[in-house]
């Protein structure tokens, strides 16, 4: 099927590339289908694009490349919701709030996106022990 | 809003499978124990609202050329 997107124009989307967020995500509870799009020549940033709303798209990234010490515990509620059998089946990303200048951008480490690669279920989970507005620039310069 | 008065150790039951127990009260802090099925998400309200707001803020339109010039 063809969908309109926020950053990639019109694209052809296969059913197998759709992630299913059973309850949407906080603030967008009706948005239950997203796809992850990459940018040519860039392996850091991706877009979590709503399948149904062209203007809804988040810049996401792998938190472990920015924040080496980041770790999350997938509790029973999450593994149950995603029918996740083993950690290796999961992928974790975080949503970036990109601001100008870029060094004011933040990563939402408190609410990572967890994807089950086996069944395409996904969920934004809420942790209690991480920052919602972790500066990205600070992490980048630490390396 | 339904208002119920409970003492320490007492509980309320919501539906068939959610139970909230008052574990302790100290000053203006109340410690609650919540038993609910795994599919029910439970969060502190202010954190949930903050995540909603952060998601809304993160849905701004990003200038991609500037984004890529930083990595």
């Amino acid at each position: 099927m063809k969908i309109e997107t926020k950053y990639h124009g019109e694209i052809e989307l296969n059913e197998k590339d759709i992630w299913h967020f059973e309850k949407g995500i906080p603030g967008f509870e009706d948005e239950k289908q997203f796809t992850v799009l990459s940018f040519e020549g860039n392996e850091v940033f991706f877009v979590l694009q709503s399948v149904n709303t062209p203007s809804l798209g988040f810049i996401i990234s792998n938190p472990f490349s920015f924040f080496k010490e980041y770790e999350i515990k997938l509790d029973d509620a999450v593994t149950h919701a995603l029918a996740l059998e083993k950690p290796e089946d999961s992928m974790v990303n975080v949503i970036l709030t990109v601001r100008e200048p870029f060094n004011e951008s933040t990563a939402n480490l408190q609410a990572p996106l967890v994807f089950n690669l086996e069944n395409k279920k996904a969920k934004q989970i809420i942790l209690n022990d991480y920052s919602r507005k972790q500066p990205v620039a600070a992490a980048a310069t630490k390396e | 809003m339904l208002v119920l008065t409970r003492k320490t150790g007492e509980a309320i039951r919501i539906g068939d499978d959610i139970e909230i127990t008052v574990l302790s009260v100290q000053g203006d802090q109340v410690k609650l124990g919540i038993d609910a099925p795994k599919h029910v998400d439970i969060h502190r309200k202010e954190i949930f609202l903050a995540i909603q707001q952060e998601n809304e803020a993160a849905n701004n339109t990003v200038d991609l050329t500037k984004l890529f010039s930083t990595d």
Side-chain angles (χ1 to χ4, degrees), chain A residues 23 42 97 123-124 133, chain B residues 39 41 54-55 59 62 71:
Chain A
K23 295 178 182 171
N42 183 287
T97 303
K123 184 177 172 68
Q124 185 177 28
K133 294 175 185 287
Chain B
H39 67 264
D41 288 330
E54 191 63 22
N55 281 345
N59 186 34
V62 173
D71 64 23

Side-chain angles (χ1 to χ4, degrees), chain A residues 114-126:
Chain A
V114 182
F115 302 81
N116 183 343
L117 300 165
E118 288 297 310
N119 62 13
K120 307 300 282 186
K121 289 186 181 193
K123 184 177 172 68
Q124 185 177 28
I125 65 172
I126 298 180

Side-chain angles (χ1 to χ4, degrees), chain A:
Chain A
M1 65 195 220
K2 283 187 165 41
I3 64 163
E4 278 294 327
T5 68
K6 186 169 175 178
Y7 296 107
H8 295 74
E10 186 182 80
I11 61 161
E12 178 67 32
L13 181 66
N14 294 315
E15 178 64 33
K16 68 174 176 53
D17 294 323
I18 296 176
W19 294 97
H20 298 272
F21 288 71
E22 194 187 349
K23 295 178 182 171
I25 68 170
F28 302 92
E29 282 77 6
D30 295 334
E31 299 283 347
K32 300 181 195 301
Q33 294 185 311
F34 288 86
T35 190
V36 174
L37 303 174
S38 57
F39 295 107
E40 206 179 313
N42 183 287
E43 290 173 1
V44 177
F45 303 110
F46 300 88
V47 176
L48 183 72
Q49 170 68 49
S50 161
V51 170
N52 302 305
T53 307
S55 62
L56 183 61
F58 303 99
I59 303 293
I60 64 173
S61 192
N62 176 349
F64 306 109
S65 59
F66 281 100
F67 309 102
K68 301 291 183 215
E69 284 154 24
Y70 187 58
E71 57 177 28
I72 65 172
K73 187 173 177 299
L74 300 175
D75 63 19
D76 286 351
V78 180
T79 56
H80 180 263
L82 298 181
L84 188 63
E85 290 175 4
K86 47 187 193 295
E88 306 88 270
D89 293 341
S90 67
M91 171 176 86
V92 176
N93 274 289
V94 293
I95 296 178
L96 304 185
T97 303
V98 178
R99 296 193 171 86
E100 287 185 35
F102 180 77
N103 61 18
E104 289 178 10
S105 300
T106 56
N108 188 347
L109 299 188
Q110 191 177 27
L113 304 159
V114 182
F115 302 81
N116 183 343
L117 300 165
E118 288 297 310
N119 62 13
K120 307 300 282 186
K121 289 186 181 193
K123 184 177 172 68
Q124 185 177 28
I125 65 172
I126 298 180
L127 308 173
N128 287 317
D129 49 357
Y130 272 107
S131 168
R132 191 163 54 249
K133 294 175 185 287
Q134 178 70 43
V136 175
T141 53
K142 232 188 275 176
E143 290 305 309

